[in-house]
Amino acid sequence: MRDDDVLTAVRALAPALRERAAEAERLRRVPDASVGELEAAGFFRLLRPRAYGGLAADPAVFYAAVHEIAKACGSTGWAASVLGVHPWYVAQFEPRAQEEVWGADGPTRICSSHAPTGKVVPVEGGYRLSGRWHFSAGCDHAHWALLGGVVDDRDGRPVDMLTFLVPRADYRVDDVWDTVGLRGSGSNDILVEDAFVPAHRTLGYGPVTALRCPGQDIHPDPLYRLPYAAVFTTAVSTAMVGIAEGAHEDQVTAARERLKGPHGRRTAEDPFAQVRIARAAGEIDAARLQLHRNMTDLYALARGGAPIPMELRARTRRDQALATERAITAVDLLMENAGRGPLRVGDDVLQRAWRDLHTGHGQAANDVDRALVLYAQDALGMDVHDPML
């Protein structure tokens, strides 16, 4: 299977994913059928290493697939972007950990919750892990979880921040996700009760930021020499832009027939409606083009073995956050055009997109002001130390 074959297969799934969007909201999780079809299409193997049956694909192909999924169903696109990007992260771990995840070559989907909300206790050979981790998209369909945690010294001072790779047998999912938007993403809580995590199934944020992870010694592909924040956050930003484009396509189609105003004029004939449609398209295009440019530039450096400058990392972070803002702006413009229809409770594409985007904007990675400050600090020559870079 080639990268392009996967993208073609994902595009063919779009009508079925779109048809199940309402079901995903009702279930508050991605339907099993959708996950199974994405698995069969090879989507979850795009960023998986070749040594373990993956494609180690050009990241542009992965993000194009995420975009297509999110256009069809925002919740499915969001959850798929997160589940789909994690094979890249596991490929950074020690070889022994990767063997435990992929050695059997079966479905091995991986969810995450990186905020360090649990308790970590160092013990001989590893750590004891306990606590609750929030907002783990797609966790009902996962076999492993990546959980963030802070390691303290004997005086209670933080000395390290690690990601812990935990098998499904060592945690349970608490069904608490009941939101206005992204209802079908199944972003439930992960509960761990005194689980032992061996040291080889941990990864420090220092090596990740410095691009010096153990897994890079066994995977030569340039894909695994990209910055974590660039790869991960571009996934959810791409999903946001895909949601907006799906809403735009739906509204352009609807505007050709919808009547607006007291005189029975079609929306398509209203010049002010035309302006909003055009502005929304411009916001979506700008967001998508910036995301693509940054990942293309990053991947070109990785392929050439060149160092990745902080300037490019900061620009990537800036554009990830701005992409989400532009997606929301686009859908807000479309809502102004749509009349009363999307305000009614029901299965409406634009209403769902509006709810999904405004909910997704609350994710920490989509904090626009914080991203702009990081970019400005780097541009002004200040020292910048942030895990989001």
Side-chain angles (χ1 to χ4, degrees), residues 152-373:
D152 296 333
D153 63 16
R154 292 180 179 178
D155 297 323
R157 293 173 299 194
V159 294
D160 201 359
M161 187 168 176
L162 302 177
T163 298
F164 297 85
L165 180 59
V166 183
R168 184 67 179 83
D170 288 349
Y171 68 85
R172 65 183 179 89
V173 174
D174 191 10
D175 184 2
V176 298
W177 186 249
D178 191 4
T179 55
V180 172
L182 292 175
R183 286 182 59 81
S185 67
S187 300
N188 287 305
D189 288 2
I190 300 290
L191 297 183
V192 179
E193 298 179 9
D194 194 32
F196 174 70
V197 183
H200 69 268
R201 277 202 264 116
T202 68
L203 186 62
Y205 274 60
V208 171
T209 302
L211 304 183
R212 290 195 296 268
C213 295
Q216 294 170 349
D217 293 334
I218 62 172
H219 302 309
D221 303 273
L223 172 66
Y224 304 108
R225 281 145 183 82
L226 296 171
Y228 161 78
V231 174
F232 180 86
T233 310
T234 298
V236 293
S237 299
T238 298
M240 295 277 279
V241 177
I243 292 169
E245 184 160 345
H248 187 270
E249 290 183 356
D250 177 79
Q251 288 305 294
V252 168
T253 299
R256 297 190 180 108
E257 301 299 330
R258 183 191 300 123
L259 299 179
K260 185 177 182 181
H263 304 296
R265 189 181 196 181
R266 288 192 304 124
T267 300
E269 298 170 347
D270 180 354
F272 300 104
Q274 294 166 3
V275 167
R276 294 187 190 104
I277 288 172
R279 286 187 179 277
E283 296 288 350
I284 293 166
D285 285 350
R288 193 172 186 186
L289 289 169
Q290 282 186 294
L291 292 175
H292 180 76
R293 177 189 69 161
N294 290 333
M295 290 309 303
T296 298
D297 290 352
L298 285 162
Y299 194 53
L301 291 173
R303 291 181 67 180
I308 295 176
M310 184 58 67
E311 177 185 3
L312 179 53
R313 292 193 190 199
R315 189 186 82 189
T316 299
R317 181 73 197 98
R318 177 199 70 186
D319 293 343
Q320 290 165 343
L322 287 176
T324 68
E325 186 176 70
R326 288 191 168 107
I328 290 170
T329 298
V331 169
D332 284 349
L333 285 166
L334 295 172
M335 284 291 282
E336 294 177 14
N337 261 3
R340 299 175 183 175
L343 300 179
R344 300 189 182 99
V345 175
D347 184 20
D348 182 87
V349 172
L350 180 57
Q351 180 201 98
R352 182 179 296 118
W354 187 90
R355 290 187 282 107
D356 287 348
L357 288 171
H358 281 275
T359 299
H361 194 224
Q363 207 239 28
N366 292 328
D367 187 331
V368 177
D369 290 343
R370 186 178 298 276
L372 295 181
V373 166

Side-chain angles (χ1 to χ4, degrees), residues 54-95:
L55 298 172
D58 183 326
V61 176
F62 172 72
Y63 296 120
V66 168
H67 188 88
E68 294 297 325
I69 298 167
K71 277 175 59 179
C73 173
S75 287
T76 302
W78 182 278
S81 76
V82 175
L83 294 173
V85 81
H86 287 146
W88 177 92
Y89 197 43
V90 171
Q92 308 293 331
F93 277 70
E94 290 189 21

